[in-house]
């Protein structure tokens, strides 16, 4: 067996093992950290599949941003895990059924003629000069230009909606206005009162 | 024509929405009318562009993911006109309630862009993205009135259920992609015609039908409709109840008929169940409502049942009837919810049925307009609703589904009760509220035009019907 198979097996074993630990471990911070490990192993597998851009994005976006946020939330919320574990045996049959259905569906799709082994064996390894990021960029800006632009518009709408729903003016809040503070003159603030000195 | 020229209306509306967004930032609250006018002008110009640059026959663009044909042109033009009506009707309502903000118009325009993308989508990817663009704009619009607890609750329900529906639809699409190896509608239909039906394809189809039923609001996936229609500010209810139905019709046509057409025997049965349940539940539960917004929401569900009847007939005649139904229903919904806005004023929402009592004494003309709209929804001649129902039923009878037509007629008769009850309230009950009707001249004019169109299309339906038939069979 060549080295690639070993690398693949290592990464996938770690990914599966840590995914199992995500749902079996008691401590929620540990579960989040195991999820990070799962993502990281998947990123390794993607690199092996010559999807460098996706692999790096997975590490940057999911591990770097999403999971850090997730950890923040988990640490800040004082979640009592005991009541959540009570329903384990009760929900186990339902969970198993859903899991089996999903496995069956995946088998149906993967077993379809479009994914047959003679079609998949055609894949050849690219040379060192091949850039996955460049190819993705070409596809996105030519074949998928229309969809790419719509996705950008969706993000714009999300920004507008988020701002429209959260930005509120509070009249009771006192803001500093530096321009007016600088322009203040002595006469605006200071009142000189002349009084006769009192005689004793 | 180059790809960009084919998609010119979309590109133009996107640019105009960005212009409105930017211009609005520099306006004071007293100048919001400029935002309003700019939005109306954008829609009007987009309408002209769509008509001026419509292709001869069918034109594909962007590697076959975008289609411009007669159906897309007709549906888009109706979407613009209906949305212009929505903006016109809702202006005073928004002003009275301190909601006259640029966001309503910007999100409204982006929602229209989403509908246009859905109508012209010829690949599952662009269809889904258009749907998300439209839905995101609508979620935000429902939540627009932040101080209202009811609106926030409605927005939350709408968002969660809408996201679930999108997920289900996407799952179905991914299975179909796995089975056929393409996202393009034309490739999918070619591949399915070759390989025929299999368990995997059926599974994908089932998920897609469930997702579509959620978006259309067919029973048993209708739970969000009454709450959202009732909870949202009426100006937003008007928006989400009218034009999006046209886009949902287009989505159903592209996915089920053009993409999965070879599985017609399979989805016909699924749609039959949805249609019968929608007709039954919509019409019966509407009787028990005291709020007119909820009543019209249940009436929407029953109309969706009729819409599905035309599609499930599976013939060109049925599709044309269904398209006619979707277009005219958008006009009726515009008029019906517009009437609620018409009777509302500052500090008063005319959302109870009792608020329509004695409308004839207060304004005989607008009571007559409401009468036309309610008659049309009930399907009483000579309004357009009658003709729409008749053509759908003819299509169903022509494919020998006579029992289905009978069921639809029986439920329509049951449904006529609550429309006629509202008519009775307007004409024979004493008015509880004698205050002057305030709307401005343009609102009065537009609502009258709306009502008269519903009547005129009922008297002369042949032109629009011929257009729908040409759009689907050409």
């Amino acid at each position: 067996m060549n080295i690639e198979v070993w690398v693949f097996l290592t990464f996938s074993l770690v990914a599966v093992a840590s995914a199992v630990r995500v749902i079996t471990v008691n401590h929620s911070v540990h579960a989040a950290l195991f999820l990070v490990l799962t993502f990281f192993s998947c990123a390794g597998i993607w690199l092996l599949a010559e999807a460098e851009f996706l692999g790096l994005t997975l590490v940057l976006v999911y591990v770097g941003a999403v999971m850090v946020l997730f950890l923040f939330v988990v640490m800040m919320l004082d979640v009592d895990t005991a009541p959540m574990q009570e329903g384990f045996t009760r929900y186990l049959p339902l969970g198993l059924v859903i899991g089996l259905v999903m496995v069956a569906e995946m088998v149906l799709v993967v077993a379809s003629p479009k994914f047959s082994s003679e079609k998949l064996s055609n894949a050849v390894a690219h040379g060192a000069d091949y850039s996955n990021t460049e190819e993705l960029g070409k596809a996105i800006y030519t074949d998928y230009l229309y969809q790419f632009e719509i996705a950008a518009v969706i993000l714009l709408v999300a920004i507008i909606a988020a701002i429209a729903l959260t930005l509120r003016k509070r009249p009771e809040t006192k803001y500093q206005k530096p321009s007016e503070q600088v322009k203040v003159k002595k006469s605006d603030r200071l009142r000189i009162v002349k009084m006769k000195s009192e005689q004793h | 024509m180059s790809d960009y020229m084919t998609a010119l209306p979309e590109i133009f509306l996107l640019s105009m929405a960005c212009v409105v967004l930017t211009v609005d930032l520099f306006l004071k609250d007293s100048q919001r009318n400029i935002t309003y006018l700019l939005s109306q002008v954008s829609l009007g110009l987009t309408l002209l562009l769509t008509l001026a640059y419509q292709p001869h026959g069918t034109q594909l663009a962007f590697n076959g993911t975008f289609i411009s044909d007669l159906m897309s042109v007709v549906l888009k033009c109706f979407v613009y006109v209906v949305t212009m009506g929505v903006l016109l009707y809702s202006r005073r309502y928004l002003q009275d309630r301190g909601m006259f903000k640029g966001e309503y118009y910007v999100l409204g325009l982006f929602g229209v862009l989403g509908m246009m993308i859905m109508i012209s989508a010829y690949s599952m990817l662009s269809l889904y993205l258009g749907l998300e663009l439209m839905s995101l704009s609508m979620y935000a619009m429902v939540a627009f009135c932040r101080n209202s607890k009811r609106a926030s609750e409605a927005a939350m329900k709408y968002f969660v259920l809408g996201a679930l529906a999108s997920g289900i639809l996407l799952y179905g699409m991914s299975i179909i992609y796995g089975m056929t190896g393409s996202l393009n509608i034309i490739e999918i239909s070619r591949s399915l015609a070759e390989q025929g039906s299999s368990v995997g394809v059926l599974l994908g189809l089932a998920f897609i039908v469930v997702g579509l039923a959620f978006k259309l609001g067919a029973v048993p996936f209708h739970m969000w409709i009454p709450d959202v229609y009732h909870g949202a500010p009426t100006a937003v209810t008007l928006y989400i109840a009218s034009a999006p139905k046209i886009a949902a019709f287009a989505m159903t046509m592209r996915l089920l008929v053009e993409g999965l057409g070879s599985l017609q025997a399979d989805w016909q049965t699924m749609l039959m169940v949805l249609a019968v349940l929608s007709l039954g539940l919509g019409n019966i539960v509407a009787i028990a409502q005291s709020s007119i917004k909820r009543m019209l929401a249940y009436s929407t569900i029953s109309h969706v049942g009729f819409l599905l009847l035309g599609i499930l007939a599976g013939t060109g005649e049925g599709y044309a009837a269904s398209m006619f139904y979707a277009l005219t229903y958008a006009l009726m919904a515009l008029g019906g919810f517009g009437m609620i806005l018409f009777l509302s004023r500052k500090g008063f929402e005319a959302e109870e049925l009792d608020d329509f009592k004695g409308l004839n004494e207060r304004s005989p003309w607008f009571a007559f307009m409401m009468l036309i709209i309610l008659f049309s929804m009930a399907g009483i001649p000579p309004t357009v609703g009658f003709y729409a129902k008749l053509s759908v039923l003819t299509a169903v009878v022509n494919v020998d589904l006579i029992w289905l037509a009978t069921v639809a007629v029986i439920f329509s008769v049951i449904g006529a009760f609550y429309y006629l009850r509202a008519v009775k309230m307007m004409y024979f009950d004493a008015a509880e509220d004698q205050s002057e009707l305030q709307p401005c001249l343009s609102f009065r004019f537009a609502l009258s035009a709306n009502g008269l169109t519903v009547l005129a299309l009922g008297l002369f339906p042949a032109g629009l019907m011929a257009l729908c038939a040409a759009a689907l069979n050409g």
Side-chain angles (χ1 to χ4, degrees):
Chain A
M1 277 201 286
N2 56 15
I3 179 92
E4 280 151 12
V5 177
W6 283 110
V7 173
F8 173 76
L9 284 179
T10 319
F11 274 121
S12 43
L13 265 180
V14 172
V16 171
S18 53
V20 170
R21 287 304 280 159
V22 172
I23 52 169
T24 51
V25 82
N26 277 332
H27 201 289
S28 43
V29 174
H30 292 176
L33 288 173
F34 271 118
L35 196 55
V36 169
L37 185 57
T38 317
F39 283 145
F40 202 81
S41 321
C42 290
I45 296 175
W46 286 3
L47 277 180
L48 200 65
E50 294 183 5
E52 296 93 0
F53 182 75
L54 287 179
L56 290 178
T57 334
L58 187 71
V59 172
L60 283 177
V61 176
Y62 276 88
V63 178
V66 177
M67 285 318 293
V68 169
L69 273 178
F70 211 80
L71 272 178
F72 262 122
V73 175
V74 168
M75 284 178 185
M76 282 202 284
L77 295 179
D78 185 23
V79 186
D80 186 12
T81 48
M84 284 187 219
Q85 289 159 1
E86 280 172 6
F88 183 73
T89 43
R90 195 152 54 99
Y91 294 123
L92 187 65
L94 184 67
L96 279 179
V97 170
I98 293 177
L100 281 177
V101 169
M102 285 178 74
V103 168
E105 284 167 353
M106 280 193 271
V107 167
L108 279 175
V109 171
V110 175
S112 86
K114 292 280 170 190
F115 287 87
S116 58
S117 55
E118 66 261 24
K119 286 199 176 171
L120 293 183
S121 59
N122 294 341
V124 277
H126 292 279
D129 56 338
Y130 172 80
S131 164
N132 168 253
T133 315
E134 208 178 303
E135 293 300 317
L136 263 181
K138 273 185 196 158
I140 283 177
Y141 286 100
T142 54
D143 296 347
Y144 295 97
L145 177 71
Y146 180 58
Q147 287 85 350
F148 183 67
E149 294 298 331
I150 304 172
V153 178
I154 291 178
L155 287 179
L156 176 64
V157 167
I159 294 172
I160 298 171
I163 293 176
L165 294 182
T166 51
L167 179 75
R168 55 183 82 204
K169 287 207 177 79
R170 292 165 189 267
E172 72 272 13
T173 317
K174 293 190 166 56
Y175 292 99
Q176 287 204 323
K177 291 177 185 158
S179 60
E180 291 183 17
Q181 286 171 332
V182 168
K183 278 191 286 185
V184 145
K185 294 194 190 94
K186 189 174 80 179
S187 55
D188 297 338
R189 296 272 168 95
L190 198 65
R191 190 162 58 97
I192 299 175
V193 186
K194 291 227 164 133
M195 291 177 82
K196 278 184 187 169
S197 58
E198 286 177 35
Q199 289 179 345
H200 292 282
Chain B
M1 267 200 280
S2 81
D3 285 0
Y4 299 105
M5 287 307 275
T6 319
L8 192 64
E10 278 82 359
I11 296 173
F12 177 76
L13 190 68
L14 171 61
S15 324
M16 283 312 283
C18 294
V19 168
V20 172
L21 178 67
T22 320
V23 167
D24 184 65
L25 289 177
F26 296 97
L27 296 178
K28 295 194 190 74
D29 270 345
S30 56
Q31 297 170 315
R32 292 281 170 238
N33 275 328
I34 299 178
T35 313
Y36 163 76
L37 287 175
L38 208 55
S39 314
Q40 290 283 39
V41 169
S42 321
L43 285 172
L45 289 177
T46 315
L47 174 66
L48 290 181
L49 276 180
T50 308
L51 288 175
Y53 286 95
Q54 60 165 314
H56 301 288
T58 306
Q59 176 103 25
L60 289 175
F62 298 110
N63 298 315
T65 62
F66 181 97
I67 186 171
S68 181
D69 53 5
L70 188 57
M71 178 173 117
S72 72
V73 171
V74 174
L75 292 179
K76 276 182 195 172
C77 289
F78 265 81
V79 165
Y80 309 142
V81 173
V82 168
T83 312
M84 283 166 90
V86 168
L87 297 188
L88 201 155
Y89 289 176
S90 56
R91 178 160 76 144
R92 202 184 51 95
Y93 180 92
L94 295 173
Q95 280 170 339
D96 285 349
R97 280 158 188 76
M99 286 155 55
F100 196 47
K101 303 248 173 63
E103 287 87 3
Y104 178 85
Y105 295 100
V106 172
L107 289 174
L109 289 181
F110 277 119
V112 171
L113 182 66
M115 293 176 217
M116 293 164 73
I117 292 169
M118 278 165 79
I119 290 172
S120 273
Y122 216 47
S123 126
M124 291 200 291
L125 188 56
S126 20
L127 192 67
Y128 177 74
L129 287 169
L131 175 69
E132 280 306 283
L133 181 56
M134 181 187 85
S135 310
L136 268 179
S137 310
M138 297 202 302
Y139 302 147
M141 284 169 88
V142 173
F144 189 54
C145 182
R146 277 185 319 216
N147 301 326
S148 157
K149 215 178 145 193
R150 217 174 62 180
S152 310
E153 188 193 323
M156 201 64 207
K157 278 182 188 164
Y158 193 21
F159 180 70
V160 171
L161 286 179
L164 183 70
S166 298
I168 291 174
L169 187 67
L170 203 55
Y171 195 46
M173 286 176 172
S174 69
I175 294 179
I176 294 292
Y177 174 61
M179 297 305 292
T180 60
S182 178
L183 285 170
N184 281 17
I185 302 278
I186 197 159
E187 297 288 328
I188 291 171
S189 81
R190 198 175 294 150
S191 163
L192 284 181
E194 265 171 39
Q195 61 173 295
S197 152
S198 63
V199 187
V201 173
L202 282 183
L203 204 65
L205 173 71
F207 276 103
I208 285 184
V209 169
V210 170
L212 286 176
F214 249 116
K215 294 292 175 190
L216 278 166
V219 181
F221 309 103
H222 65 287
M223 293 78 81
W224 59 275
I225 287 209
D227 288 340
V228 172
Y229 280 25
H230 188 220
T234 314
V236 177
T237 311
L238 178 68
Y239 183 87
I240 56 179
S242 49
K245 296 289 168 211
I246 300 179
F249 165 78
M251 179 168 76
T252 315
M253 283 301 292
R254 299 277 187 226
L255 268 180
L256 288 190
V257 178
E258 293 181 20
L260 306 173
S262 54
L263 305 173
Q264 197 222 333
D266 299 305
W267 52 253
Q268 191 179 41
T269 328
M270 298 183 195
L271 292 193
M272 233 182 256
V273 176
L274 293 174
V276 170
L277 287 177
S278 304
L279 284 166
L281 189 129
N283 281 317
I284 290 170
V285 180
I287 296 175
Q289 305 304 318
S290 64
S291 152
I292 185 150
K293 274 163 92 179
R294 282 191 97 84
M295 189 191 96
L296 288 179
Y298 280 104
S299 126
T300 302
I301 297 174
S302 69
H303 286 292
V304 165
F306 261 101
L307 194 73
L308 292 177
L309 279 188
I311 296 175
L312 72 83
T315 55
E317 186 196 6
Y319 302 145
S322 200
M323 181 172 165
F324 185 85
Y325 204 99
L327 295 178
T328 52
Y329 175 70
L331 282 180
M332 291 187 251
L334 181 68
F337 285 101
M339 209 61 203
I340 303 177
L341 291 177
F342 187 78
L343 292 182
S344 303
R345 56 178 181 272
K346 199 164 188 157
F348 174 73
E349 302 264 347
E351 50 180 36
E352 293 303 313
L353 265 174
D354 289 344
D355 297 326
F356 280 76
K357 275 186 180 167
L359 185 60
N360 188 39
E361 295 164 30
R362 296 166 69 193
S363 166
W365 174 250
F366 286 103
F368 177 59
M369 288 300 123
M370 188 62 182
L371 172 90
I372 294 176
I373 289 160
L374 286 172
F375 269 17
S376 180
M377 284 182 173
I380 296 171
T383 54
V384 71
F386 168 73
Y387 191 78
K389 281 193 167 60
L390 180 72
S391 46
V392 167
L393 290 176
T394 317
V396 173
V397 169
N398 282 350
V399 289
D400 291 329
L401 290 168
I402 296 169
W403 68 271
L404 202 56
T406 320
V407 170
V409 170
I410 291 173
F411 281 122
S412 300
V413 173
I414 295 174
F417 167 74
Y418 61 84
Y419 296 117
L420 294 179
R421 184 179 59 183
V423 172
K424 178 218 143 211
M425 282 179 167
M426 290 195 303
Y427 278 88
F428 302 111
D429 288 357
E432 290 174 352
D433 166 27
Q434 288 291 357
S435 52
E436 191 80 8
L437 293 170
Q438 293 166 340
C440 62
L441 203 62
S442 59
F443 192 170
R444 285 168 188 270
F445 182 74
L447 196 58
S448 308
N450 193 173
L452 291 176
T453 313
V454 169
L455 185 63
L457 278 176
L459 293 172
F460 309 103
L464 184 60
M465 197 66 212
L467 197 61
C468 292
L472 287 160
N473 303 324

